[in-house]
């Protein structure tokens, strides 16, 4: 769990405020800056959809693999690591969204 938390902390960055594009310097903040330009901002929360999606994927990792009381890897040592890897790759793919948006802008 330590390295998952570190990876998520690197994405969000220190001092970041939820939905703010004025404070912060990370990919989370870049996504917040790009969201209004590409109409990819949740109008109810003010947060970029990509950030919401990454938080949802990370929370799913924590819930299904890290904080799970069952030893899921021991129960299914073939498929569970594949599922874990697929979810990590989904997060990585989502982190490219603000980069591409910024490049095109």
């Amino acid at each position: 769990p330590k390295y998952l938390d570190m990876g998520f902390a690197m994405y969000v960055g220190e001092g970041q405020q939820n939905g703010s594009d004025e404070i912060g310097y990370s990919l989370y903040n870049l996504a917040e800056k790009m969201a209004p330009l590409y109409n990819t901002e949740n109008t109810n929360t003010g947060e970029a959809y990509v950030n919401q999606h990454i938080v949802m994927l990370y929370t799913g990792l924590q819930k299904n693999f890290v904080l799970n009381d069952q030893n899921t890897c021991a129960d299914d040592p073939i498929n569970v690591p594949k599922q874990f890897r697929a979810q990590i790759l989904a997060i990585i793919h989502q982190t490219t969204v603000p980069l591409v948006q910024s490049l095109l802008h």
Side-chain angles (χ1 to χ4, degrees):
K2 174 183 174 183
Y3 296 106
L4 283 177
D5 291 344
M6 288 173 59
F8 189 68
M10 297 265 312
Y11 178 78
V12 173
E14 185 179 357
Q16 180 64 51
Q17 292 181 356
N18 188 22
S20 172
D21 67 349
E22 296 178 11
I23 298 174
Y25 53 86
S26 65
L27 280 173
Y28 179 97
N29 185 267
L30 182 61
E32 292 302 321
K33 288 181 178 172
M34 295 296 110
L37 301 173
Y38 287 92
N39 198 27
T40 56
E41 183 176 43
N42 184 326
T43 55
N44 294 327
T45 64
E47 189 175 21
Y49 285 124
V50 68
N51 286 337
Q52 290 180 330
H53 194 206
I54 289 173
V55 168
M56 179 193 70
L57 289 169
Y58 172 75
T59 303
L61 273 177
Q62 292 282 55
K63 178 182 170 191
N64 296 325
F65 299 103
V66 178
L67 302 176
N68 190 340
D69 291 337
Q70 302 170 7
N71 189 350
T72 55
C73 284
D75 293 342
D76 191 356
I78 302 298
N79 290 318
V80 170
K82 289 179 182 178
Q83 293 167 355
F84 183 83
R85 184 174 189 274
Q87 197 139 354
I88 292 291
L89 289 175
I91 291 172
I92 291 170
H93 289 139
Q94 288 297 303
T95 63
T96 63
V97 170
L99 296 174
V100 172
Q101 288 176 331
S102 177
L103 179 68
L104 294 175
H105 184 263

